[in-house]
Amino acid sequence: MTYLVCYSPHKDDIGAIDLACQFARSEHDTVHALTVVPRGWETAVAGDTDRDFEQWAAQEGAASAAEALEVLARHTDVVSTATWVAGRSVPQAVCEQVDALGASLIVVGSGENGPRGYVTVTSKTDRMLHSAAVPVAIAPRGYRPVPDSRITRVTMGFRDDDASWTLLDLVASICARIGASLRLVTFAVRPRRMVVSAMRDDESDIFAQWKSQAQAGLDEAVTHLRDQGLVDVEAVLAQGRSWGGAMDSVEWGREDVLVVGSSSTHKLAQVFLGSSAAKILRNSTVPVIVVP
């Protein structure tokens, strides 16, 4: 299995490569770093302008691949390669290479304009999330795992719907294979109180009933996993008055990864973020894997 990591020579953040190697180390798999450079026009323009541009792009691609190999060489226990391709669209070129390499996961970094330590989705990553047929992992900005570490705990966002139950068995099998513990989390974000005081009690009762149902779903999932032989599993109902508060109420470690499913109601087969998954992404301080 190959993890395809997107590498840009113009960014100081190498968190995506570190994350890809952390995944590969956990599964004894390989990492392939890919740089996408601009492609020249199909028809030549104004003398040798187009040819000069293509030569420049080729030099940039070759230099970037060499630089990626130097970074990858720090992970001496991970088998890795690096190449470059020319493309008009970075997301399209990456998805084409997924098919060519048989990659099982795309790994990208966060945007440079987002807060350090949090996941930030760039416009390119957003387009990739809407077109990728394989899961996409996003490293927080400035991600630095423990050197030579593996993934030791997987946290899965659990909605207690058909899509979550299907994803649950997949994630559980991976945890069993790599020796990681599994934690299920349902995020309970309390709605803002309404102005009319007469409706506050009804609103609180509805939220309390929803929490009770959510906890029952978590308990059922834990029982199901333990019946399947997965012992190291726990469940958390994370509460908060905002998505950030709910995320902060959960303890996160440097060897954690968070898995969320894409929208279960969208007709597209590719990764499509629903509102809940998008809010979880923006407030995450650990790597997030979005699964179609």
Side-chain angles (χ1 to χ4, degrees):
M1 192 165 11
T2 298
Y3 298 108
L4 180 60
V5 56
C6 301
Y7 181 77
S8 172
H10 306 297
K11 293 178 63 176
D12 293 330
D13 191 353
I14 59 173
I17 283 185
D18 287 343
L19 177 60
C21 289
Q22 194 177 23
F23 286 148
R25 189 176 295 111
S26 302
E27 290 260 47
H28 304 290
D29 289 322
T30 61
V31 173
H32 186 96
L34 177 70
T35 296
V36 180
V37 298
R39 177 185 296 169
W41 296 103
E42 297 297 333
T43 56
V45 295
D48 292 333
T49 304
D50 197 53
R51 185 177 63 183
D52 291 343
F53 177 83
E54 290 180 348
Q55 290 176 346
W56 168 83
Q59 292 172 356
E60 284 286 298
S64 179
E67 185 178 304
L69 284 175
E70 291 180 2
V71 178
L72 287 165
R74 304 173 189 174
H75 302 272
T76 56
D77 57 337
V78 175
V79 177
S80 57
T81 53
T83 58
W84 66 273
V85 296
R88 295 286 173 78
S89 164
V90 172
Q92 179 181 352
V94 171
C95 290
E96 289 172 353
Q97 289 302 303
V98 166
D99 295 334
L101 297 169
S104 60
L105 179 73
I106 300 171
V107 185
V108 299
S110 286
E112 295 179 321
N113 295 326
R116 188 172 183 83
Y118 285 84
V119 169
T120 301
V121 178
T122 66
S123 58
K124 292 178 181 178
T125 298
D126 184 64
R127 292 197 298 273
M128 203 176 300
L129 287 168
H130 287 76
S131 58
V134 297
V136 178
I138 310 173
R141 184 185 172 198
Y143 181 64
R144 289 292 182 272
V146 176
D148 301 327
S149 64
R150 304 170 184 265
I151 300 299
T152 60
R153 180 172 59 183
V154 177
T155 298
M156 175 185 154
F158 186 73
R159 294 190 303 257
D160 196 19
D161 56 9
D162 290 343
S164 287
W165 278 94
T166 300
L167 181 59
L168 177 66
D169 287 335
L170 172 62
V171 173
S173 66
I174 295 174
C175 287
R177 187 167 69 241
I178 68 176
S181 62
L182 175 58
R183 178 174 61 179
L184 306 180
V185 175
T186 296
F187 295 99
V189 180
R190 178 183 287 275
R192 294 186 178 183
R193 289 196 174 277
M194 304 180 71
V195 177
V196 182
S197 59
M199 302 184 69
R200 289 183 178 178
D201 291 341
D202 290 341
E203 184 181 272
S204 297
D205 290 344
I206 293 172
F207 186 62
Q209 182 178 1
W210 182 87
K211 288 195 299 180
S212 178
Q213 293 173 346
Q215 187 63 59
L218 287 169
D219 293 341
E220 182 182 358
V222 170
T223 300
H224 166 76
L225 292 173
R226 288 177 176 163
D227 288 344
Q228 299 297 316
L230 188 66
V231 178
D232 197 356
V233 57
E234 62 175 317
V236 176
L237 183 62
Q239 303 181 50
R241 295 188 179 276
S242 65
W243 283 95
M247 291 286 289
D248 289 344
S249 71
V250 181
E251 176 267 326
W252 301 99
R254 291 182 66 187
E255 298 175 2
D256 283 353
V257 63
L258 173 62
V259 178
V260 297
S262 56
S263 173
S264 59
T265 58
H266 201 275
K267 64 182 180 180
L268 293 179
Q270 287 80 15
V271 173
F272 190 91
L273 287 180
S275 60
S276 297
K279 292 172 182 175
I280 290 172
L281 271 177
R282 289 196 298 269
N283 289 281
S284 180
T285 57
V286 299
V288 181
I289 301 176
V290 185
V291 184

